[in-house]
Amino acid sequence: QQTSKRLRKFPNILVTGTPGCGKTTLCENIVSAMAQQNIKYNHLNVSQIAVDGKFTEEYDMERQTHVLDEEPLLDHLEEILSDFEETGYVVDYHSSELFPERWFDAVVCLATDNTVLYNRLSKRGYAEQKIQENLQCEIFQVCLQEAQESYDKDLVLHLVNDTDDDMEDNVESISKLINTGINSRRN
Ligand code: ADP
Ligand code: MN
């Protein structure tokens, strides 16, 4: 397989967690941090790619979310990921079980305090019911459990992401992890 872990020069990272936990911001910051070291990373925002590329089925009115047309979306993503000579990828999605395990070298699941998460989601203009659903999802660690069930547990990192300081720490530790991965592949 083209996406076999051993062939990649750059480790691919999946960033998952409840909506509002900071996935997109973290991924953008990782890309910038790596760029400062002249290492190219690409941010794949799966929801965005699904909407832009029309890899969606009907809109789920009740849950106010797009239902993915998974098979073609996964084929499309795999095609992007198979271009791995010059770049690594940070993949951004709230769910993790749909992706093949071989795509990722590490899975980061962000954790957010409930009050902080409430404020972020209400700023985003989410309806109260949708906010409550997401808070429940965070309380029951749905994304973490899904990640731990779908990937080697040793590859799953659970990182608190409440404050700007947390964000800085998270960017630094993931950049280190990426660099360690790159160096170990050189040998
Ligand atoms: P997600 O992609 O997981 O839905 P976002 O990256 O869009 O989350 O972040 C949601 C909101 O929370 C944004 O307004 C972002 O600026 C803010 N945010 C994310 N992480 C942090 C953090 N560590 N500290 C403070 N604000 C944050
Ligand atoms: Mn996002």
Side-chain angles (χ1 to χ4, degrees), residues 23-38:
K23 299 179 295 294
T24 300
T25 312
L26 176 67
C27 288
E28 286 168 355
N29 289 341
I30 294 169
V31 168
S32 312
M34 297 316 297
Q36 283 183 4
Q37 306 173 51
N38 282 317

Side-chain angles (χ1 to χ4, degrees), residues 19-20 22-25 43 45 47 92-93 124:
K23 299 179 295 294
T24 300
T25 312
H43 173 200
N45 185 333
S47 305
D92 168 355
Y93 196 53
R124 194 179 263 185

Side-chain angles (χ1 to χ4, degrees), residues 52-63:
D52 292 348
K54 302 210 163 55
F55 298 106
T56 51
E57 289 170 348
E58 75 282 14
Y59 187 78
D60 183 337
M61 291 301 274
E62 200 182 323
R63 297 186 54 241

Side-chain angles (χ1 to χ4, degrees), residues 18-25 120 124 161-164 167:
T18 309
C21 68
K23 299 179 295 294
T24 300
T25 312
R120 288 185 194 165
R124 194 179 263 185
N161 192 46
D162 294 338
T163 64
D164 290 341
M167 177 61 79

Side-chain angles (χ1 to χ4, degrees), residues 118 122 126-133:
Y118 183 94
S122 94
Y126 275 19
E128 187 64 25
Q129 194 202 332
K130 194 169 178 181
I131 296 180
Q132 291 305 330
E133 277 171 20

